[in-house]
Amino acid sequence: MSETAVAELPRDFDELRASILSQRESLPKRIAQIAAYALDNPDEIAFGTAASIAVSAGVQPSTLIRFAQHLGFDGFTSLQGVFRARLRERNSSYEERLNTLRVGDGTAAGNHRILDGFLTASRKSLDVMSRTIDEATLDRAIDVLARAETIYILARRRSYPVASYLAYALGKLQVRNQLVESAAGLDPEMIAFATPKDAVLVISFSPYAPATIEDARGLAERGVPLVAITDSAFSPLASIAKLWFEVAEADFGGFRTLASTMALSMALAVGVGEARRAGRGRGRRAGHA
């Protein structure tokens, strides 16, 4: 640990922020740069990968480790936990989020300003995904889903609109799928039909829907391959999915976009459709040989 490191670990985000501010005049240039970025973009620190954060902050990934150690942590992952705890504790109501959209004089934000805010957040999310997506993982996920007899789509709450789109797109592409939803509460009966010959595409973000995690865990225990879209290596889905994508969505006024999640979902759906079509084409050529 660095000699300049603080004597005691900050217990929460407020203590961490106070610690950073108290040292700001003495921080080395690069560490000061990431410190300023961290305080201005705490959600990005919470959900971004080390690579994406380093690119966005304009520093080397090793600087993140030195920054964490300077503050007394044994590594960047430990420091990141403080930022993630802040999000869990925040969990503000929608009324509070609307209040953050008010301008300095207390009047409501203009509609155009709100739109610009969400467009900016969406562009930021898409830029991060473009830089950080792992192409090998994308290829493997499409292969797993394309081989499945039926693709089960599992998502609730904020993730549900993406699941609904996936069911629509896969249906149009003539890919057999089952959106796990039931007004009659028949979700367990739906997923009971899934076998290792099928696959599950599951989507969940913090705070994770308990029913989604429970269903996903049960399917994984039965040997059904899972492809997950989630927001962190600390997500419960990351430890049970065959393949998973980390998606860090930016927010505006506490409201997160779904821009990157939707783009990734579209790529998966179309990729599966293309893989299925290519497979059928090979089958027809083999039949005429």
Side-chain angles (χ1 to χ4, degrees), residues 131-227:
R131 293 194 304 266
T132 61
I133 189 71
D134 184 271
E135 292 185 12
T137 301
L138 181 63
D139 290 343
R140 291 198 301 272
I142 289 173
D143 183 62
V144 168
L145 296 171
R147 291 172 181 270
E149 290 183 355
T150 300
I151 299 174
Y152 288 81
I153 306 168
L154 184 59
R156 294 177 174 88
R157 300 195 324 211
R158 184 168 75 92
S159 308
Y160 182 79
V162 182
S164 180
Y165 167 79
L166 275 165
Y168 167 79
L170 290 171
K172 287 293 185 181
L173 292 165
Q174 299 182 353
V175 176
R176 182 184 298 173
N177 71 90
Q178 175 63 63
L179 179 59
V180 181
E181 61 164 354
S182 171
L186 296 175
D187 292 7
E189 285 77 8
M190 287 182 182
I191 62 177
F193 288 102
T195 75
K197 293 182 179 180
D198 302 313
V200 180
L201 183 51
V202 55
I203 310 165
S204 189
F205 303 108
S206 178
Y208 311 102
T212 297
I213 304 306
E214 181 182 352
D215 289 345
R217 185 172 288 114
L219 287 160
E221 289 172 353
R222 285 163 39 203
V224 185
L226 263 67
V227 174

